[in-house]
Amino acid sequence: MKSLSRAVWIPALIVAVLVLAGGAWWSMAGSTKSGGLGIGGPFSLTSGAGRTVTDRDLRGKFLLVYFGYTFCPDVCPTTLTQVAGALDRLGKRGDRVQPVFITVDPQRDTPQVVADYAAAFSPRILGLTGTPEQIAAVTRAYRVYYAAGKPDGSGSYSVDHSSILYLMGPDGDFIAPIRADAPAEQMATDIAKHLE
Ligand code: NI
């Protein structure tokens, strides 16, 4: 009796494992197809005009997404300077590229502050902020690392953050990372490769 029931449940177990593995493979294949490497996704943020901007509002354009903060002493200003230079070099070819600067410091970077900061490098760069929860969600979606340091005596603090430019397609899918520490000329070449 015991061996008979075992003869039933062992094959049943094997079938169950195969079905689960097949399902996992299928869902992985599905997500890879629809969302690049799983980078990016829906977001809801705020522009300088206080207007809500979502990922859907930006569909139809290639997005060049960068995360940083306006008090950043070196990496962010350098990167945004090169992005502005890359846009100049792309000229007409870059018309469909919308650079987006998203702050990882929503406490200090109000909509107006982040918009003015981004526009100072190029009026083409869209500066966005949000609630701490919205920023946490969008950084999670883009797998961005950021961590605020301890405030000094005057209350100012730095924010450690990853520095990658994400090129997203007109459908919102991740296309490729673009080196953020490259000079403008190289950045323009790297972006242009993906624009066809
Ligand atoms: Ni920075």
Side-chain angles (χ1 to χ4, degrees):
M1 205 57 197
K2 219 172 198 174
S3 64
L4 182 67
S5 72
R6 191 173 278 190
V8 172
W9 69 254
I10 289 179
L13 191 67
I14 291 169
V15 168
V17 166
L18 288 175
V19 166
L20 282 173
W25 176 83
W26 185 252
S27 72
M28 271 171 63
S31 69
T32 300
K33 198 178 154 203
S34 65
L37 294 169
I39 292 172
F43 61 75
S44 180
L45 297 166
T46 307
S47 73
R51 199 165 50 84
T52 297
V53 176
T54 72
D55 56 299
R56 297 229 150 242
D57 297 328
L58 301 172
R59 288 289 155 83
K61 290 179 171 179
F62 289 87
L63 301 186
L64 188 63
V65 184
Y66 188 71
F67 293 83
Y69 67 116
T70 69
F71 285 81
C72 184
D74 40 32
V75 178
C76 290
T78 305
T79 302
L80 293 179
T81 300
Q82 301 314 314
V83 167
L87 288 173
D88 288 344
R89 282 168 176 78
L90 284 168
K92 273 263 164 223
R93 289 177 299 163
D95 280 355
R96 288 181 73 201
V97 179
Q98 173 64 63
V100 182
F101 178 71
I102 302 175
T103 185
V104 292
D105 185 16
Q107 274 83 3
R108 289 183 295 189
D109 288 344
T110 62
Q112 197 62 60
V113 165
V114 72
D116 289 349
Y117 178 80
F121 294 94
S122 164
R124 297 259 330 263
I125 305 176
L126 176 64
L128 297 175
T129 187
T131 65
E133 293 74 23
Q134 288 172 324
I135 297 302
V138 69
T139 50
R140 215 165 29 238
Y142 279 81
R143 303 187 193 173
V144 169
Y145 161 81
Y146 69 109
K150 273 206 164 72
D152 64 15
S154 64
S156 86
Y157 54 91
S158 61
V159 184
D160 199 15
H161 65 91
S162 50
S163 182
I164 298 169
L165 286 159
Y166 300 87
L167 186 64
M168 311 300 287
D171 50 6
D173 284 356
F174 172 68
I175 294 179
I178 302 293
R179 266 185 59 185
D181 61 348
E185 190 72 56
Q186 183 65 49
M187 212 180 259
T189 305
D190 291 347
I191 294 166
K193 267 190 276 192
H194 301 285
L195 294 183
E196 293 320 310

